[in-house]
Amino acid sequence: MHGSWDWLGRGGVWVLLAALAAGPSFAAEMSFAERLAQAEALVNQDARAAEVEARAILAGAEAVGDTAAIGTAQRVLGRSLNVRGDNEAALAAFQAALASLPPDASVDRALLLRHMGVVYFDLAQRDLALSHYLQALAIFEAAAATEEVAKTRANIANVHYINGDLERAASAHRQALQAFESVPSPLGIAGSALNLSAVLSAQAGAEDV
């Protein structure tokens, strides 16, 4: 089980590829927000292309002082670097994005904390991963962001599973499943049900030993 929950469809991927192929004139006609949305959709399909586009957007946003675009570009860059395995650089990008957030951007802060948790999970620094997930969870719960709560509980369950704490892993997956059901999120429900089944099977196997 991987530490991250990336809910990204394929929409926009081919549009971004066309934009990159067409060169800067086409990209310049799009807003930073449009380009960032398409770059983020590309992260799990072609992380290198997403990284290149995020860096280009970051440079453009810095040139005009667009703080919001700068922060989002740093977040997309961090995700791209994480997918490519450059986790130290990913952490630096996420930390820069955190520093750029206004004080009232609580949900954005929680998203970044969860992304950082994913990086720490991939670096096998599980205590730090869990700490960041729990910080994110508290913010999502306060904001009543139910689907984000569910995703974060799934991340927490993965830490417990890797740590061999199957009881806590099962509990966290049940909580994630309940939250996904309340959204409802068919994809989340299916993923949580599968993960919970795997944990319960591992528990049963441990009891038989």
Side-chain angles (χ1 to χ4, degrees):
M1 300 181 191
H2 191 272
S4 64
W5 279 76
D6 289 315
W7 299 77
L8 300 173
R10 295 177 180 271
V13 171
W14 303 117
V15 176
L16 177 57
L17 288 174
L20 293 174
S25 60
F26 181 89
E29 296 174 3
M30 302 172 65
S31 69
F32 286 138
E34 290 170 328
R35 291 173 64 192
L36 284 164
Q38 292 179 1
E40 187 147 36
L42 189 58
V43 167
N44 286 343
Q45 307 295 327
D46 187 341
R48 175 57 180 162
E51 178 192 345
V52 169
E53 178 66 353
R55 290 188 187 280
I57 297 169
L58 180 59
E62 288 176 337
V64 298
D66 188 330
T67 305
I70 290 170
T72 305
Q74 287 165 331
R75 179 173 61 79
V76 175
L77 176 60
R79 291 194 60 231
S80 302
L81 291 165
N82 173 231
V83 170
R84 297 187 65 223
D86 192 348
N87 288 311
E88 296 298 335
L91 279 176
F94 289 141
Q95 288 163 349
L98 270 177
S100 73
L101 286 178
D104 60 346
S106 60
V107 171
D108 288 337
R109 184 173 303 278
L111 288 170
L112 286 166
L113 287 168
R114 189 172 68 202
H115 288 318
M116 292 174 72
V118 169
V119 175
Y120 284 122
F121 184 93
D122 290 346
L123 289 170
Q125 297 182 35
R126 298 169 194 161
D127 289 345
L128 282 172
L130 185 58
S131 171
H132 281 74
Y133 290 151
L134 290 173
Q135 291 178 67
L137 178 63
I139 296 171
F140 287 137
E141 288 181 329
T146 305
E147 188 164 9
E148 301 306 330
V149 166
K151 295 175 187 178
T152 309
R153 287 197 181 281
N155 290 126
I156 291 168
N158 289 344
V159 176
H160 291 317
Y161 180 83
I162 293 297
N163 284 340
D165 192 337
L166 300 181
E167 184 173 345
R168 286 188 177 180
S171 176
H173 276 310
R174 287 191 182 97
Q175 291 173 319
L177 179 59
Q178 290 171 354
F180 278 126
E181 288 173 339
S182 72
V183 173
S185 168
L187 183 59
I189 292 167
S192 287
L194 284 172
N195 286 334
L196 177 58
S197 177
V199 174
L200 294 176
S201 294
Q203 279 185 306
E207 291 171 357
D208 290 340
V209 174

